[in-house]
Amino acid sequence: MDETAPQKGTVTQRAIEQIKTMIAEGRLEPGQRLPTERDLAVQLGISRSSMREAIRALTVLGVLEARHGSGIYVTQLQAGDLLETFGVVADLSRGPRLVELLEVRRILESTATALAAARITADQLAEVEKHLTAMNATDDPDEILAHDLAFHREIAVAAGNDTMAAILEGLSSRTFRARVWRGYQEEGAFARTRREHAAIHRALAARDPEAARAAAAAHVGEVEEWLRAQLAG
Amino acid sequence: MDETAPQKGTVTQRAIEQIKTMIAEGRLEPGQRLPTERDLAVQLGISRSSMREAIRALTVLGVLEARHGSGIYVTQLQAGDLLETFGVVADLSRGPRLVELLEVRRILESTATALAAARITADQLAEVEKHLTAMNATDDPDEILAHDLAFHREIAVAAGNDTMAAILEGLSSRTFRARVWRGYQEEGAFARTRREHAAIHRALAARDPEAARAAAAAHVGEVEEWLRAQLAG
DNA sequence: CCGGCCATAGTGGTCCGACCACATCGAAGA
DNA sequence: TCTTCGATGTGGTCGGACCACTATGGCCGG
């Protein structure tokens, strides 16, 4: 009888969907400021508590951004904003799924590196070189890891597909990488890693997409195979 | 002075990290039941409201599952659970990022189809055929879309990498696909789509990975090019 | 007239206590 | 023995209060 009561799921879930829909339909533009929590709660006919849960949920998804004392804003909805949560997948995965993640990364990373070889600018190539030399100049594992990440990140950006770069960023999240790399590097894989990085850089400098694809695939594939062997043993 | 007050970020954010850490460190196993919201709040020294926000956030991320009247449980942490949110990226993306998403899908889908050609079982192939014939036997756009999705989902599963399948599932989310497909099919692309699907199936039946890769890449690439042209015009 | 300071209003962040809706399980009954 | 149903405990929702922070604009001193 009551046409104003759809009543599906929790009110919070409903609020999440409604806000998402407002954004998808363009009624809320990126960067725009939303009404206050109190006003939004009244508009959707729910309590402030439930509205806050909905806002919090959309915040962790990278859709909204809450600024204490200022207001709630729609993010720019950039690939990086929305795919930030992708890292939790990598962080909470163990065993066989780690191999699957590396397989996905190998596929994307090799393609991204190939694209980068064709499109990379001189400035970007210089930046890649910087991280390559810095990586080879130190013994601190943390520093090596940081430059390793930056090395691949620069390449992914140079590929020109921000979405792909954001996904690769998640697949290489710091904690994920640290867990796998630690064991890998302990087996004296430093030299091999350096050779592979050098090969990737060489292919980029030569603007050779096929060589770049092969080098990147081999690079990730090495770790993949090592991890596979670890799990089997 | 007070060593018990780290005080970084909001208490809710801290609670989210703490629960995530507990799971990452194995102190909480998949499927396990957590203490009640009230108890958890006491344990972490925060209010029930803040704890609820943290739980809600982890729920939308697919890490936790709240069952009304029963309790809060850790999900199985399957790829599908954690990558469900991937769909929101597709749903909230517009313009150039749609092309980027299709590019990622083309890369992954072509590889997945190639893997499927090598690994697919007779039963799985029969399932693929079922959706192919069903897709060609109806004129209802919604039904076509549903079978189209199922067609590619079966292939992705047959590839043997659940993580990749889950990502592809997100990249083909219903609302995303509906938005792009609508315009694409309006231009009489039905016949072409059928030919491409038939080619993919033929490659799978022939257990020919290279042909499967090419057919899948062409299939997604067609839509990609069409969308690129739409945006340019 | 100008610039920096500061009171104030408004916002998100946190907490509390109450009640409701639902799932579960055991005791009472057929 | 099986079924029923009530008691208990759980997540879901609500309303209000207060705290922490931002931003604004007027005031004061220069």
Side-chain angles (χ1 to χ4, degrees), chain A residues 10 12-13 16 20 23-24 26 29-30 52-53 56-57 60-61 63 77-79 82-83 85-86 88-89 91-94 97 100-101 103-104 107-108 111 115 119 160-164 167, chain B residues 10 12-13 16 20 23-24 26 29-30 52-53 56-57 60-61 63 77-79 82-83 85-86 88-89 91-94 97 100-101 103-104 107-108 111 115 119 160-164 167:
Chain A
T10 68
T12 301
Q13 197 63 41
I16 293 176
K20 247 174 45 181
I23 296 176
E29 295 288 333
R52 274 192 58 78
E53 289 186 20
R56 173 73 65 177
V60 302
L61 288 180
V63 176
L77 298 178
Q78 305 279 340
L82 299 174
L83 288 168
T85 65
F86 201 84
V88 308
V89 183
D91 292 341
L92 294 182
S93 296
R94 272 175 300 177
R97 185 140 77 261
E100 293 188 355
L101 284 168
E103 191 174 354
V104 172
I107 297 166
L108 291 178
T111 304
L115 288 172
R119 301 174 179 170
N161 186 323
D162 289 343
T163 301
M164 204 187 313
I167 294 176
Chain B
T10 68
T12 301
Q13 197 63 40
I16 293 175
K20 249 175 42 183
I23 296 176
E29 295 288 332
R52 274 191 59 80
E53 288 187 21
R56 173 74 64 176
V60 302
L61 289 180
V63 176
L77 299 178
Q78 305 278 339
L82 299 173
L83 288 168
T85 65
F86 204 88
V88 307
V89 183
D91 292 340
L92 295 181
S93 295
R94 272 177 301 177
R97 185 140 77 261
E100 294 187 355
L101 284 169
E103 191 174 354
V104 173
I107 297 166
L108 291 178
T111 304
L115 288 172
R119 300 175 179 171
N161 185 325
D162 290 343
T163 301
M164 204 187 313
I167 294 177

Side-chain angles (χ1 to χ4, degrees), chain B:
Chain B
M1 310 299 173
D2 191 351
E3 305 174 12
T4 67
Q7 290 288 40
K8 18 179 180 178
T10 68
V11 296
T12 301
Q13 197 63 40
R14 232 181 305 160
I16 293 175
E17 295 301 330
Q18 292 191 39
I19 296 179
K20 249 175 42 183
T21 301
M22 281 193 269
I23 296 176
E25 292 178 351
R27 282 186 284 167
L28 288 177
E29 295 288 332
Q32 183 177 340
R33 184 176 182 276
L34 275 67
T36 71
E37 294 178 343
R38 296 164 174 85
D39 289 347
L40 271 176
V42 172
Q43 285 183 29
L44 300 189
I46 65 179
S47 71
R48 193 192 163 200
S49 312
S50 301
M51 178 55 71
R52 274 191 59 80
E53 288 187 21
I55 293 172
R56 173 74 64 176
L58 290 170
T59 296
V60 302
L61 289 180
V63 176
L64 298 182
E65 178 189 357
R67 301 180 200 163
H68 191 168
S70 174
I72 308 165
Y73 302 80
V74 182
T75 69
Q76 290 302 322
L77 299 178
Q78 305 278 339
D81 299 328
L82 299 173
L83 288 168
E84 205 165 329
T85 65
F86 204 88
V88 307
V89 183
D91 292 340
L92 295 181
S93 295
R94 272 177 301 177
R97 185 140 77 261
L98 286 179
V99 178
E100 294 187 355
L101 284 169
L102 275 175
E103 191 174 354
V104 173
R105 189 186 157 213
R106 173 167 50 83
I107 297 166
L108 291 178
E109 184 100 36
S110 58
T111 304
T113 307
L115 288 172
R119 300 175 179 171
I120 195 167
T121 67
D123 286 349
Q124 289 172 327
L125 189 59
E127 197 70 18
V128 171
E129 282 178 18
K130 204 187 70 180
H131 291 296
L132 180 63
T133 59
M135 193 176 355
N136 291 336
T138 178
D139 284 345
D140 180 16
D142 284 343
E143 205 170 338
I144 292 178
L145 179 62
H147 284 294
D148 189 354
L149 286 171
F151 176 82
H152 290 289
R153 174 168 36 233
E154 278 294 327
I155 295 175
V157 169
N161 185 325
D162 290 343
T163 301
M164 204 187 313
I167 294 177
L168 283 172
E169 181 80 21
L171 288 175
S172 307
S173 84
R174 203 176 178 78
T175 73
F176 166 75
R177 199 106 163 204
R179 281 190 302 160
V180 178
W181 240 242
R182 186 176 306 168
Y184 181 61
Q185 299 292 30
E186 279 176 358
E187 304 195 353
F190 284 104
R192 179 188 292 163
T193 300
R194 290 186 183 181
R195 273 201 310 275
E196 292 169 351
H197 279 157
I200 291 174
H201 170 260
R202 214 177 308 127
L204 291 177
R207 302 285 197 276
D208 186 338
E210 277 313 308
R213 160 173 270 114
H219 178 50
V220 180
E222 282 291 338
V223 187
E224 190 182 333
E225 282 309 316
W226 172 83
L227 183 60
R228 217 185 291 266
Q230 289 292 108
L231 294 174

